[in-house]
Structures are given as structure tokens and as C-alpha cells.
Amino acid sequence: MSPPVVLAIAATDSGGGAGLAADLATFAALGVHGACVVTAVTAQDTLGVRAVHPVPFDVVAAQLDAVLDDLDPVAVKTGMLATPEIVRLVASRCAGRRLVVDPVLRATTGAVLATDDVIAAYREHLLPVATVATPNESEFAALGRPSGPNIQVTRGGDIATTNDHGTGCTHSSALAAHLAHGADLPTAAARAAAYVSHQLRLGKDWTLGRGRGPVAHIHATTQGEIA
Ligand SMILES: Nc1ncnc2c1ncn2[C@@H]1O[C@H](COP(=O)(O)OP(=O)(O)OP(=O)(O)O)[C@@H](O)[C@H]1O
Ligand SMILES: Cc1ncc(CO)c(N)n1
């Protein structure tokens, strides 16, 4: 039987820890086929964001059309959306699907990844059509503390690790993957949290880069076969 298709609409992270790298690794670990629409390219590592280059709107729209026309994803997850036009496009094309919105406004390292007009577009267009939105506390405040059953504010956790770059991306991708497998929202949320904490524990002693390292997305699944 074919795996469910999940689409990630997000930006790249050259360091491989957050953004689409985290999304696609999480999809693979959780048994769904991942499609991806690239909204921006970031020059980034475990220490911070050096540059952000948005992909032209027409190219984002063409990627989205291609995936929606051919692969019919069961669930969609959004990460960094880069411009208000892209936020509006995603809202109009993805409404009605199982839609997980992770409003990426800042990197863990503090870099600003969304301007005020992007935040306004989230409030007006994307949050109202989300199945669930997963802002962290500071993103929740920046969005004006929206209320509703589909708003699930995320809060770190008690695992002591500096390898937490991209945990929000990993968490929202796991949520989308479990929704795509047919879980209801409370079940998908519990499984996503369990996946993130399990993988955070596996990678807590890794030393990749000089800053905040990545979550060990698929480590347990593959290490026996390739070591
Ligand atoms: N140190 C931790 N211990 C246990 N669970 C954690 C920890 N950090 C994150 N998590 C899990 O991951 C989820 C998302 O984390 P968090 O709220 O820190 O994301 P974020 O701030 O959006 O991350 P980022 O901006 O790096 O992508 C949390 O709801 C929690 O389930
Ligand atoms: C590309 C990208 N998306 C999301 C985040 C949030 O962690 C990041 N640092 N970089």
C-alpha cells in the first residue's frame, strides 16, 4: 500500500537542522512520503542565520500547483513562509486539507524570519483555515495571542540539551505525519510530542557544529542497518 503524502511548505536550512531538512527527515522517519515547496533559501548553521533569499512568488506558486495537481497531499505543514503573498497563497490553496501551521517568525538563535506584514497575513488569512497552529510562546505573543481550539502553544520541555535547533519544525512535521496517517488531533499531538522527545534524547550528546545542534531525526531507525 502507498504511504500517505504530506507536503511541507517551508525554507531550506543549509545546516540541515531546521526547515525543510527537518521536515523531510521527520516524514521519512514516520512513514509518509514528503513533498516540498521551497519558499526561501537561508544561509544558516548551528550558530545563526547569515542570509535569507526568498524564492520568487511565481516559482513558489508553480511548485505548489505541481504538488497539489499531481500528488494530492493528505496533510500540509507550513514553516517559514517568507512573504505576505506566500502566506495568502497557501491559505487560499490549502484550506480544507489537514493543515498544520507552524508560524516561523524567529530562529532559535534569535534571527527575525518574518516581518510585520507577514504576521498580519497569518492572522487574517492562514490561522483561520489551519487545522492546528503551533506557535511557541514568543510567536504566540507576536501574533497577538489568538484564541481558538486550533491554537496549540508549544513550550520547550525538560530534556537538558543544546541540540534543539529546529525542534518546532520537527514537532509540526510529526503532527502533520500523524494526521496524514489518520490520527485525530489529540492523538497526533501526543505522538508528535513523544517523537520529538525520543529523538531529542537520542541526539543530546551529539557535537555537530559549534552552536545548537540538530534533533536526531531518524537516527534510531537507520543506525542498525548502516553502522
Ligand atoms: N528540551 C526539550 N525537552 C522535551 N521536549 C522538548 C524540548 N524542546 C522542545 N520539545 C518539544 O518540541 C516541541 C516544540 O518545541 P519548541 O516550542 O521549543 O519549538 P520552537 O521554539 O518553535 O523551536 P524552533 O524555533 O527551534 O523550531 C515542544 O512542544 C515539545 O514537545
Ligand atoms: C529555514 C528555517 N525554518 C525554520 C526555522 C526555525 O527553527 C529556522 N531556523 N530555519
Side-chain angles (χ1 to χ4, degrees):
M1 207 175 71
S2 307
V5 177
V6 183
L7 168 63
I9 308 174
T12 66
D13 165 9
S14 48
L20 286 168
D23 299 337
L24 294 174
T26 301
F27 293 161
L30 295 177
V32 299
H33 173 75
C36 59
V37 166
V38 186
T39 59
V41 173
T42 77
Q44 188 176 176
D45 55 24
T46 62
L47 294 166
V49 179
R50 301 182 187 201
V52 177
H53 181 73
V55 170
F57 178 80
D58 290 354
V59 181
V60 175
Q63 295 174 75
L64 189 54
D65 284 346
V67 177
L68 294 181
D69 288 351
D70 187 46
L71 286 154
D72 196 22
V74 181
V76 177
K77 165 264 143 100
T78 70
M80 181 183 163
L81 295 179
T83 69
E85 293 75 23
I86 298 176
V87 177
R88 288 197 294 271
L89 173 78
V90 171
S92 71
R93 298 298 317 273
C94 298
R97 290 178 198 263
R98 279 167 240 183
L99 177 58
V100 179
V101 172
D102 185 23
V104 172
L105 309 180
R106 271 174 193 276
T108 318
T109 47
V112 174
L113 298 176
T115 49
D116 285 350
D117 48 358
V118 170
I119 293 172
Y122 268 105
R123 288 165 49 111
E124 205 174 321
H125 300 282
L126 197 51
L127 294 184
V129 297
T131 306
V132 58
T134 58
N136 63 24
E137 187 59 49
S138 79
E139 290 159 345
F140 180 59
L143 289 164
R145 304 190 171 275
S147 58
N150 68 341
I151 307 289
Q152 293 192 357
V153 181
T154 65
R155 274 179 202 88
D158 54 11
I159 299 167
T161 177
T162 52
N163 293 330
D164 58 357
H165 177 59
T167 42
C169 308
T170 303
H171 174 257
S172 50
S173 291
L175 194 46
H178 285 298
L179 288 173
H181 279 302
D184 60 21
L185 186 52
T187 307
R191 287 182 183 160
Y195 169 75
V196 176
S197 44
H198 185 253
Q199 305 307 128
L200 274 174
R201 268 194 200 93
L202 282 176
K204 76 184 175 50
D205 296 323
W206 285 12
T207 51
L208 290 177
R210 287 164 290 148
R212 302 186 89 97
V215 178
H217 290 107
I218 58 173
H219 192 56
T221 332
T222 52
Q223 91 178 321
E225 291 142 44
I226 60 174

